[in-house]
């Protein structure tokens, strides 16, 4: 076999191998095998040149260089192809896909009890009431005495009070965690003159065992209006509007006589069950009515105590249980769910 035949064989074999090689390492070792300076097949052929006669030298030299250039170009093309493929592969395997939609973070929102309290306050503020606030640690005087619970009056026992240890006011009376939002009435009346229309939302505390409808900490919205000639009719009109704003135009209210020391007469107010259209359901316990708040006309003792003249002004007051409203509104039958703060429960509101 002549050298020219060898060159031809090198050409066909090397090109065939290049076409089947499928990775960069094999391509490089192939390149070294055929084109390597010292030991490559082509170099070996060129090393023979000195032994050839001038004619053969020229022919073999030209032929070998041609194959060398063709093979180099072919390897270069293949190299680019394999590089592109490996880049595409690593891109497609990478975890970062900028075209994917984002995994939206869970956005926080207000607690259902806070939402309900805000709703109640917003209804009354649209009806012309101002916002008032008072502290959670109160004096015995504001929480009880000024609200017409005389010292040692049994009505105090109805509220299981948390007293603040070792803290007493100037008169030696203990401080306590307010058992209702009604003391805000006293604070507000002492610092303002009628006419006044306020709502006071807030947290209240009672030393009570926790069950489906009781907790040692819960929320109320207190309302107070003091003006000339305020009557039960005003209270009824206002609470009727409130019920319709919060529960829809079908909502009705009813008054039942009741007793609270700081109002006279005192009433309890029921709202018609809008969940069952008063047909009777689990939430209204088949009665068609939901007990929702206490109210009444401000007792003359209370008005006098803050320096108002009961012959010139009168007022109504009401206290709404926020958790009760929230339970009714959302059809929740166990108050404890509001305090356990299970995110699966809270996410629904
Ligand atoms: N403070 C009362 C309670 O917590 C609720 C209440 C009843 C508030 C009658 C009032 C009212 O303003 O007039 O039990």
């Amino acid at each position: 076999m002549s050298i020219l035949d060898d060159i031809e064989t090198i050409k066909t074999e090397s090109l065939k191998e290049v076409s089947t090689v499928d990775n960069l390492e094999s391509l490089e070792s192939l390149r070294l095998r055929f084109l390597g300076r010292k030991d490559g097949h082509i170099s070996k052929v060129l090393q023979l040149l000195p032994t050839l006669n001038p004619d053969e030298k020229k022919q073999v030299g030209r032929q070998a260089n041609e194959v060398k250039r063709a093979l180099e170009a072919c390897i270069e093309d293949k190299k680019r192809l394999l590089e592109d493929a490996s880049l595409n592969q690593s891109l497609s395997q990478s975890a970062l896909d900028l075209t994917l939609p984002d995994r939206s973070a869970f956005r926080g929102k207000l607690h259902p009890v806070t939402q309900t309290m805000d709703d109640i306050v917003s209804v009354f503020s649209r009806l012309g009431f101002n916002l008032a606030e008072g502290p959670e640690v109160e004096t015995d005087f504001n929480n009880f005495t000024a609200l017409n619970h005389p010292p040692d009056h049994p009505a105090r026992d109805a509220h299981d009070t948390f007293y603040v240890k070792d803290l007493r006011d100037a008169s030696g009376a203990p401080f306590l965690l307010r058992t209702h939002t009604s003391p805000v009435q006293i604070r507000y009346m002492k610092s303002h003159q009628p006419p006044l229309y306020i709502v006071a939302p807030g947290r209240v505390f009672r030393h009570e065992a926790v069950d489906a409808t009781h907790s040692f900490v819960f929320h109320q919205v207190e309302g107070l209006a003091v003006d000339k000639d305020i009557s039960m009719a005003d209270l009824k009109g206002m609470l009727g509007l409130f019920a319709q704003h919060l529960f829809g135009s079908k909502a009705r209210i009813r008054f039942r006589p009741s007793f609270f020391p700081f109002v006279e007469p005192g009433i309890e107010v029921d709202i018609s069950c809008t969940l069952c259209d008063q047909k009777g359901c689990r939430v209204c316990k088949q009665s068609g009515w939901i007990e929702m708040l206490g109210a009444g006309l401000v007792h003359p003792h209370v008005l006098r105590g803050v320096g108002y003249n009961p012959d010139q002004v009168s007022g109504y007051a009401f206290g709404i249980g926020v958790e009760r409203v929230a339970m009714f509104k959302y059809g929740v039958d166990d108050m404890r769910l509001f305090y356990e703060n299970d995110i699966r429960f809270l996410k629904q509101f």
Side-chain angles (χ1 to χ4, degrees), residues 142-218:
N142 285 342
N143 195 83
F144 289 124
T145 312
L147 288 164
N148 201 28
H149 299 69
D152 304 322
H153 190 279
R156 288 180 184 234
D157 298 340
H159 291 205
D160 307 275
T161 310
F162 286 115
Y163 288 92
V164 181
K165 219 176 152 196
D166 300 335
L167 196 61
R168 291 183 177 267
D169 68 12
S171 72
F175 281 90
L176 44 77
L177 298 185
R178 64 179 178 192
T179 58
H180 51 176
T181 43
S182 304
V184 185
Q185 293 185 31
I186 304 302
R187 290 177 172 272
Y188 200 86
M189 286 192 282
K190 276 189 176 165
S191 54
H192 296 78
Q193 286 301 312
L196 55 90
Y197 292 80
I198 56 154
V199 276
R203 249 191 331 178
V204 303
F205 307 84
R206 287 186 200 176
H207 189 210
E208 273 180 6
V210 175
D211 65 23
T213 52
H214 295 87
S215 165
F216 52 85
V217 47
F218 56 101

Coordinates of all heavy atoms in Angstrom, one line a residue, residues 142-218:
N142 N -63.5 54.0 87.9 CA -64.0 54.1 86.5 C -64.8 52.9 86.1 O -65.8 53.0 85.4 CB -62.9 54.5 85.5 CG -62.5 55.9 85.6 OD1 -63.2 56.7 86.1 ND2 -61.3 56.2 85.0
N143 N -64.2 51.7 86.5 CA -64.8 50.5 86.0 C -66.1 50.2 86.7 O -67.0 49.5 86.2 CB -63.8 49.3 86.2 CG -64.2 48.1 85.4 OD1 -63.9 48.0 84.2 ND2 -64.9 47.1 86.1
F144 N -66.2 50.6 88.0 CA -67.4 50.2 88.8 C -68.1 51.4 89.4 O -69.3 51.7 89.1 CB -67.0 49.2 89.9 CG -66.6 47.8 89.4 CD1 -65.4 47.3 89.7 CD2 -67.5 47.1 88.7 CE1 -65.1 46.0 89.3 CE2 -67.2 45.8 88.2 CZ -66.0 45.3 88.5
T145 N -67.4 52.1 90.3 CA -68.1 53.1 91.1 C -68.8 54.2 90.3 O -70.0 54.4 90.5 CB -67.1 53.8 92.1 OG1 -66.3 52.7 92.7 CG2 -67.8 54.6 93.2
A146 N -68.1 54.8 89.4 CA -68.7 55.8 88.6 C -69.8 55.3 87.7 O -70.6 56.0 87.2 CB -67.6 56.5 87.7
L147 N -69.8 54.0 87.5 CA -70.8 53.3 86.7 C -71.9 52.8 87.6 O -72.6 51.9 87.2 CB -70.3 52.2 85.8 CG -69.4 52.7 84.6 CD1 -68.5 51.6 84.0 CD2 -70.3 53.4 83.5
N148 N -72.1 53.5 88.7 CA -73.2 53.2 89.6 C -73.2 51.8 90.2 O -74.2 51.2 90.5 CB -74.5 53.4 88.8 CG -75.7 53.7 89.8 OD1 -75.5 54.2 90.9 ND2 -76.9 53.3 89.4
H149 N -72.0 51.2 90.4 CA -71.8 50.0 91.2 C -71.2 50.5 92.5 O -70.0 50.8 92.6 CB -70.8 49.0 90.7 CG -71.1 48.5 89.3 ND1 -71.1 49.2 88.2 CD2 -71.4 47.2 89.0 CE1 -71.3 48.4 87.1 NE2 -71.5 47.2 87.6
P150 N -72.1 50.8 93.5 CA -71.5 51.3 94.8 C -70.5 50.2 95.4 O -70.6 49.0 95.0 CB -72.7 51.4 95.7 CG -73.9 51.3 94.8 CD -73.5 50.5 93.6
P151 N -69.6 50.7 96.2 CA -68.7 49.7 96.8 C -69.5 48.6 97.5 O -70.6 48.9 98.1 CB -67.9 50.5 97.9 CG -68.1 52.0 97.5 CD -69.4 52.0 96.7
D152 N -69.0 47.4 97.4 CA -69.7 46.3 98.1 C -71.0 45.9 97.5 O -71.8 45.1 98.1 CB -69.8 46.5 99.6 CG -68.5 46.8 100.2 OD1 -67.5 46.1 99.8 OD2 -68.4 47.6 101.1
H153 N -71.4 46.5 96.4 CA -72.6 46.2 95.7 C -72.5 44.8 95.0 O -71.4 44.5 94.4 CB -73.0 47.2 94.7 CG -74.4 47.1 94.1 ND1 -74.7 46.2 93.1 CD2 -75.5 47.7 94.4 CE1 -76.0 46.3 92.9 NE2 -76.5 47.2 93.6
P154 N -73.5 43.9 95.2 CA -73.3 42.6 94.6 C -73.1 42.6 93.1 O -72.6 41.6 92.6 CB -74.6 41.9 95.0 CG -75.5 42.9 95.6 CD -74.7 44.1 96.0
A155 N -73.5 43.6 92.4 CA -73.4 43.6 91.0 C -71.9 43.5 90.6 O -71.6 43.0 89.5 CB -74.0 44.9 90.4
R156 N -71.0 43.9 91.4 CA -69.6 43.8 91.1 C -69.2 42.3 91.0 O -68.3 42.0 90.3 CB -68.7 44.4 92.3 CG -68.8 45.9 92.3 CD -67.9 46.4 93.4 NE -68.0 47.8 93.5 CZ -67.0 48.7 93.4 NH1 -65.8 48.2 93.4 NH2 -67.2 49.9 93.5
D157 N -69.9 41.5 91.7 CA -69.5 40.0 91.7 C -69.9 39.4 90.4 O -69.3 38.3 90.0 CB -70.3 39.3 92.8 CG -69.9 39.8 94.2 OD1 -68.8 40.4 94.3 OD2 -70.7 39.6 95.1
A158 N -70.8 40.0 89.6 CA -71.1 39.5 88.3 C -69.9 39.5 87.4 O -69.8 38.7 86.4 CB -72.3 40.3 87.7
H159 N -69.0 40.4 87.6 CA -67.8 40.5 86.8 C -66.7 39.9 87.6 O -66.3 40.4 88.7 CB -67.5 42.0 86.5 CG -68.4 42.6 85.6 ND1 -68.1 43.7 84.8 CD2 -69.7 42.4 85.3 CE1 -69.1 44.1 84.1 NE2 -70.1 43.3 84.4
D160 N -66.1 38.8 87.1 CA -65.0 38.2 87.8 C -63.7 38.9 87.4 O -63.2 38.8 86.3 CB -64.9 36.7 87.3 CG -66.2 36.0 87.5 OD1 -66.5 35.6 88.6 OD2 -67.0 36.0 86.6
T161 N -63.3 39.8 88.3 CA -62.3 40.8 88.0 C -60.9 40.3 88.2 O -60.6 39.7 89.3 CB -62.6 42.0 88.8 OG1 -64.0 42.4 88.7 CG2 -61.7 43.2 88.4
F162 N -60.0 40.7 87.3 CA -58.6 40.5 87.6 C -58.1 41.8 88.2 O -58.1 42.9 87.6 CB -57.8 40.3 86.2 CG -57.9 39.0 85.6 CD1 -58.6 38.9 84.3 CD2 -57.4 37.9 86.1 CE1 -58.7 37.7 83.7 CE2 -57.5 36.6 85.5 CZ -58.1 36.6 84.3
Y163 N -57.5 41.7 89.4 CA -56.9 42.9 90.0 C -55.5 42.9 89.8 O -54.8 41.9 89.7 CB -57.3 42.9 91.5 CG -58.7 43.2 91.8 CD1 -59.7 42.2 91.9 CD2 -59.2 44.5 91.8 CE1 -61.0 42.5 92.1 CE2 -60.5 44.8 92.0 CZ -61.4 43.8 92.1 OH -62.8 44.1 92.3
V164 N -54.9 44.1 89.7 CA -53.5 44.2 89.4 C -52.8 44.3 90.8 O -53.0 45.1 91.6 CB -53.1 45.5 88.6 CG1 -51.6 45.6 88.4 CG2 -53.9 45.5 87.3
K165 N -51.9 43.3 91.0 CA -51.2 43.1 92.3 C -50.4 44.3 92.7 O -49.7 44.9 91.9 CB -50.3 41.9 92.1 CG -50.2 41.0 93.3 CD -49.3 39.8 93.0 CE -48.7 39.3 94.3 NZ -47.5 38.4 94.0
D166 N -50.6 44.6 93.9 CA -49.7 45.7 94.6 C -49.8 47.1 93.9 O -49.0 47.9 94.1 CB -48.2 45.3 94.5 CG -48.0 44.0 95.2 OD1 -48.8 43.7 96.1 OD2 -47.0 43.3 94.9
L167 N -50.9 47.3 93.2 CA -51.0 48.6 92.6 C -52.3 49.3 93.0 O -53.4 48.7 92.8 CB -51.0 48.5 91.0 CG -50.8 49.8 90.2 CD1 -49.4 50.4 90.6 CD2 -50.9 49.5 88.7
R168 N -52.2 50.4 93.7 CA -53.4 51.1 94.3 C -53.4 52.6 93.9 O -52.3 53.2 93.8 CB -53.5 50.9 95.8 CG -53.7 49.5 96.1 CD -53.9 49.2 97.6 NE -54.2 47.8 97.7 CZ -55.5 47.3 97.8 NH1 -56.5 48.1 97.7 NH2 -55.7 46.0 97.8
D169 N -54.6 53.1 93.8 CA -54.6 54.6 93.5 C -54.5 55.4 94.8 O -54.4 54.8 95.9 CB -55.9 54.9 92.6 CG -57.2 54.7 93.4 OD1 -57.1 54.6 94.7 OD2 -58.2 54.8 92.8
A170 N -54.6 56.7 94.6 CA -54.4 57.6 95.8 C -55.4 57.3 96.9 O -55.0 57.4 98.1 CB -54.6 59.1 95.3
S171 N -56.6 56.8 96.6 CA -57.6 56.5 97.6 C -57.4 55.1 98.2 O -58.2 54.7 99.1 CB -59.0 56.7 97.1 OG -59.2 55.6 96.2
G172 N -56.4 54.4 97.7 CA -56.1 53.1 98.2 C -56.9 52.0 97.5 O -56.8 50.8 97.8
A173 N -57.7 52.4 96.5 CA -58.4 51.4 95.7 C -57.5 50.7 94.7 O -56.6 51.3 94.2 CB -59.6 52.2 95.0
P174 N -57.8 49.5 94.4 CA -57.0 48.7 93.5 C -57.1 49.1 92.1 O -58.2 49.5 91.7 CB -57.4 47.2 93.8 CG -58.8 47.4 94.2 CD -59.0 48.7 94.9
F175 N -56.1 48.8 91.3 CA -56.3 48.9 89.8 C -56.7 47.5 89.3 O -56.4 46.5 90.0 CB -54.9 49.3 89.2 CG -54.6 50.8 89.2 CD1 -53.9 51.3 90.3 CD2 -55.1 51.6 88.2 CE1 -53.7 52.7 90.4 CE2 -54.8 53.0 88.3 CZ -54.1 53.5 89.3
L176 N -57.3 47.5 88.2 CA -57.8 46.2 87.7 C -57.7 46.2 86.2 O -57.5 47.2 85.5 CB -59.3 46.0 88.1 CG -60.2 47.2 88.0 CD1 -60.7 47.4 86.6 CD2 -61.4 47.0 89.0
L177 N -57.9 45.0 85.6 CA -58.0 44.9 84.1 C -59.5 45.2 83.8 O -60.4 44.5 84.4 CB -57.6 43.6 83.6 CG -56.2 43.2 83.9 CD1 -55.9 41.8 83.2 CD2 -55.2 44.2 83.3
R178 N -59.8 46.2 83.0 CA -61.2 46.5 82.8 C -62.0 45.3 82.4 O -61.6 44.5 81.6 CB -61.3 47.7 81.8 CG -60.9 47.3 80.4 CD -61.1 48.4 79.4 NE -60.7 48.1 78.1 CZ -60.5 48.9 77.1 NH1 -60.8 50.2 77.3 NH2 -60.1 48.6 75.9
T179 N -63.2 45.2 83.1 CA -64.1 44.1 82.8 C -65.1 44.4 81.7 O -65.8 43.5 81.2 CB -64.9 43.7 84.0 OG1 -65.6 44.8 84.5 CG2 -63.9 43.3 85.2
H180 N -65.1 45.6 81.2 CA -65.9 46.0 80.1 C -65.4 47.4 79.6 O -64.5 48.0 80.2 CB -67.4 46.1 80.5 CG -67.7 46.9 81.7 ND1 -69.0 47.2 82.2 CD2 -66.9 47.6 82.6 CE1 -68.9 48.0 83.3 NE2 -67.7 48.2 83.5
T181 N -65.9 47.8 78.4 CA -65.4 49.1 77.8 C -66.2 50.3 78.4 O -65.9 51.4 78.1 CB -65.5 49.0 76.3 OG1 -66.8 48.5 75.9 CG2 -64.4 48.3 75.7
S182 N -67.2 50.0 79.3 CA -68.0 51.1 79.8 C -67.3 52.2 80.5 O -67.7 53.4 80.5 CB -69.2 50.5 80.7 OG -69.9 49.6 79.9
P183 N -66.1 51.9 81.2 CA -65.4 53.0 81.8 C -64.9 54.1 80.8 O -64.7 55.2 81.3 CB -64.2 52.3 82.5 CG -64.1 50.9 82.0 CD -65.5 50.6 81.6
V184 N -64.8 53.7 79.6 CA -64.5 54.8 78.6 C -65.5 55.9 78.5 O -65.3 57.1 78.3 CB -64.2 54.2 77.2 CG1 -63.7 55.3 76.2 CG2 -63.2 53.0 77.2
Q185 N -66.8 55.5 78.8 CA -67.9 56.5 78.9 C -67.5 57.5 80.0 O -67.7 58.7 79.7 CB -69.2 55.8 79.4 CG -69.8 54.8 78.5 CD -71.2 54.4 79.1 OE1 -71.9 55.1 79.7 NE2 -71.6 53.2 78.8
I186 N -67.1 57.1 81.1 CA -66.8 58.0 82.2 C -65.6 58.9 81.8 O -65.7 60.1 82.0 CB -66.4 57.2 83.5 CG1 -67.5 56.2 83.9 CG2 -66.0 58.1 84.7 CD1 -68.8 56.9 84.1
R187 N -64.5 58.3 81.3 CA -63.4 59.1 80.9 C -63.8 60.2 79.9 O -63.4 61.3 80.0 CB -62.3 58.2 80.3 CG -61.6 57.3 81.3 CD -60.6 56.4 80.7 NE -59.9 55.7 81.7 CZ -58.8 56.2 82.3 NH1 -58.3 57.3 81.9 NH2 -58.2 55.5 83.3
Y188 N -64.6 59.8 78.9 CA -64.9 60.7 77.9 C -65.8 61.8 78.4 O -65.7 63.0 78.1 CB -65.6 60.0 76.7 CG -65.5 60.8 75.4 CD1 -64.4 60.7 74.6 CD2 -66.6 61.6 75.0 CE1 -64.3 61.4 73.4 CE2 -66.5 62.4 73.9 CZ -65.4 62.3 73.1 OH -65.3 63.0 71.9
M189 N -66.8 61.4 79.2 CA -67.8 62.5 79.7 C -67.1 63.5 80.6 O -67.4 64.6 80.6 CB -69.0 61.8 80.4 CG -69.9 61.1 79.4 SD -71.5 60.7 80.2 CE -71.0 59.2 81.1
K190 N -66.1 63.0 81.4 CA -65.4 63.9 82.3 C -64.5 64.9 81.5 O -64.3 66.0 82.0 CB -64.4 63.1 83.2 CG -65.1 62.5 84.4 CD -64.0 61.9 85.3 CE -64.5 61.4 86.6 NZ -63.5 60.6 87.2
S191 N -64.1 64.5 80.3 CA -63.2 65.5 79.6 C -63.9 66.2 78.4 O -63.3 66.9 77.6 CB -62.0 64.7 79.1 OG -62.4 63.6 78.3
H192 N -65.3 65.9 78.2 CA -66.0 66.6 77.1 C -67.4 67.0 77.6 O -67.9 66.5 78.6 CB -66.2 65.6 75.9 CG -64.9 65.2 75.3 ND1 -64.1 64.2 75.8 CD2 -64.3 65.6 74.1 CE1 -63.0 64.1 75.0 NE2 -63.1 64.9 74.0
Q193 N -67.9 67.9 76.9 CA -69.3 68.4 77.2 C -70.3 67.9 76.1 O -69.9 67.7 74.9 CB -69.3 69.9 77.2 CG -68.7 70.5 78.5 CD -69.4 70.0 79.8 OE1 -70.6 70.0 79.9 NE2 -68.5 69.5 80.7
P194 N -71.5 67.6 76.5 CA -72.5 67.2 75.4 C -72.8 68.4 74.5 O -72.5 69.5 74.9 CB -73.8 66.9 76.2 CG -73.5 67.2 77.7 CD -72.1 67.7 77.8
P195 N -73.2 68.1 73.3 CA -73.6 66.8 72.7 C -72.4 66.0 72.4 O -71.4 66.5 71.9 CB -74.4 67.2 71.5 CG -73.8 68.5 71.0 CD -73.4 69.2 72.3
L196 N -72.5 64.7 72.7 CA -71.4 63.8 72.3 C -71.9 62.4 71.8 O -72.9 61.9 72.4 CB -70.4 63.6 73.5 CG -70.9 63.2 74.8 CD1 -70.8 61.6 74.9 CD2 -70.0 63.8 75.9
Y197 N -71.3 61.9 70.8 CA -71.6 60.6 70.2 C -70.3 59.9 70.0 O -69.5 60.3 69.1 CB -72.4 60.9 68.9 CG -73.7 61.5 69.1 CD1 -73.9 62.9 69.3 CD2 -74.9 60.7 69.0 CE1 -75.1 63.4 69.4 CE2 -76.1 61.3 69.2 CZ -76.3 62.6 69.4 OH -77.5 63.2 69.6
I198 N -70.1 58.8 70.7 CA -68.8 58.1 70.6 C -68.9 56.6 70.5 O -69.9 56.0 71.0 CB -67.8 58.4 71.8 CG1 -68.5 58.1 73.1 CG2 -67.3 59.9 71.8 CD1 -67.5 57.7 74.2
V199 N -68.0 55.9 69.9 CA -67.8 54.5 70.1 C -66.4 54.2 70.5 O -65.4 54.9 70.1 CB -68.0 53.7 68.7 CG1 -69.5 53.5 68.5 CG2 -67.4 54.4 67.5
A200 N -66.3 53.2 71.4 CA -65.0 52.9 72.0 C -64.7 51.4 71.9 O -65.3 50.6 72.7 CB -64.9 53.4 73.5
P201 N -63.9 51.0 71.0 CA -63.6 49.6 70.8 C -62.5 49.2 71.7 O -61.6 50.0 72.1 CB -63.2 49.4 69.4 CG -62.6 50.8 69.0 CD -63.3 51.8 69.9
G202 N -62.4 47.9 72.1 CA -61.3 47.5 72.9 C -61.4 46.1 73.5 O -62.4 45.5 73.4
R203 N -60.3 45.8 74.2 CA -60.1 44.5 74.9 C -60.6 44.5 76.3 O -60.3 45.5 77.0 CB -58.7 44.1 74.9 CG -58.4 42.9 74.0 CD -57.1 42.3 74.1 NE -56.0 43.1 74.5 CZ -54.8 42.6 74.7 NH1 -54.5 41.4 74.5 NH2 -53.8 43.4 75.1
V204 N -61.3 43.5 76.8 CA -61.7 43.5 78.1 C -61.4 42.1 78.7 O -61.1 41.1 78.0 CB -63.2 43.8 78.3 CG1 -63.6 45.1 77.7 CG2 -64.1 42.7 77.6
F205 N -61.4 42.0 80.1 CA -60.8 40.8 80.7 C -61.7 40.4 81.9 O -62.2 41.2 82.6 CB -59.5 41.2 81.3 CG -58.5 41.8 80.3 CD1 -58.6 43.2 80.1 CD2 -57.6 41.0 79.6 CE1 -57.7 43.7 79.1 CE2 -56.7 41.6 78.7 CZ -56.8 43.0 78.5
R206 N -62.0 39.1 81.9 CA -62.7 38.5 83.0 C -62.2 37.2 83.5 O -61.8 36.4 82.6 CB -64.2 38.3 82.7 CG -64.9 39.7 82.6 CD -66.4 39.6 82.3 NE -66.8 40.9 81.8 CZ -68.1 41.1 81.4 NH1 -69.0 40.2 81.5 NH2 -68.4 42.3 80.9
H207 N -62.1 37.0 84.8 CA -61.5 35.8 85.3 C -62.5 34.6 85.1 O -63.2 34.2 86.1 CB -61.2 36.0 86.8 CG -60.3 34.9 87.3 ND1 -60.4 34.5 88.7 CD2 -59.5 34.1 86.7 CE1 -59.6 33.5 88.9 NE2 -59.0 33.2 87.7
E208 N -62.7 34.1 83.9 CA -63.7 33.1 83.6 C -63.0 31.9 83.0 O -62.0 32.0 82.3 CB -64.7 33.7 82.6 CG -65.8 34.5 83.2 CD -66.8 35.1 82.2 OE1 -66.6 34.8 81.0 OE2 -67.6 35.8 82.6
A209 N -63.7 30.8 83.1 CA -63.2 29.6 82.5 C -63.5 29.7 81.0 O -64.5 30.2 80.6 CB -63.9 28.4 83.0
V210 N -62.6 29.2 80.2 CA -62.7 29.2 78.7 C -63.6 28.1 78.2 O -63.5 26.9 78.6 CB -61.4 29.1 78.0 CG1 -61.5 29.0 76.5 CG2 -60.5 30.3 78.4
D211 N -64.6 28.4 77.4 CA -65.4 27.4 76.8 C -65.8 27.9 75.4 O -65.3 28.9 74.9 CB -66.6 26.9 77.6 CG -67.6 28.0 77.9 OD1 -67.7 28.9 77.1 OD2 -68.4 27.8 78.8
A212 N -66.8 27.3 74.7 CA -67.1 27.6 73.4 C -67.7 29.1 73.3 O -67.6 29.7 72.2 CB -68.2 26.7 72.8
T213 N -68.2 29.6 74.4 CA -68.8 31.0 74.3 C -68.2 31.9 75.3 O -68.7 33.0 75.5 CB -70.3 30.9 74.4 OG1 -70.6 30.2 75.6 CG2 -71.0 30.3 73.3
H214 N -67.2 31.5 76.0 CA -66.5 32.4 77.0 C -65.0 32.4 76.9 O -64.4 31.4 76.5 CB -66.9 32.0 78.4 CG -68.3 32.1 78.7 ND1 -69.3 31.1 78.5 CD2 -69.0 33.2 79.3 CE1 -70.5 31.5 78.8 NE2 -70.4 32.8 79.3
S215 N -64.4 33.5 77.2 CA -63.0 33.6 77.2 C -62.6 34.6 78.3 O -63.4 35.5 78.7 CB -62.5 34.0 75.9 OG -61.1 34.4 76.0
F216 N -61.3 34.5 78.8 CA -60.9 35.5 79.9 C -60.5 36.8 79.2 O -60.3 37.8 79.9 CB -59.8 34.9 80.8 CG -58.7 34.3 80.0 CD1 -57.6 35.2 79.5 CD2 -58.6 33.0 79.6 CE1 -56.6 34.7 78.8 CE2 -57.6 32.5 78.9 CZ -56.6 33.3 78.5
V217 N -60.3 36.8 77.9 CA -60.1 38.1 77.2 C -60.9 38.1 76.0 O -61.0 37.2 75.2 CB -58.6 38.3 76.9 CG1 -58.0 37.1 76.3 CG2 -58.4 39.5 76.0
F218 N -61.7 39.2 75.8 CA -62.5 39.3 74.6 C -62.7 40.8 74.3 O -62.0 41.6 74.8 CB -63.9 38.6 74.8 CG -64.7 39.0 76.0 CD1 -65.8 39.9 75.8 CD2 -64.4 38.6 77.2 CE1 -66.5 40.3 76.9 CE2 -65.1 38.9 78.4 CZ -66.2 39.8 78.2

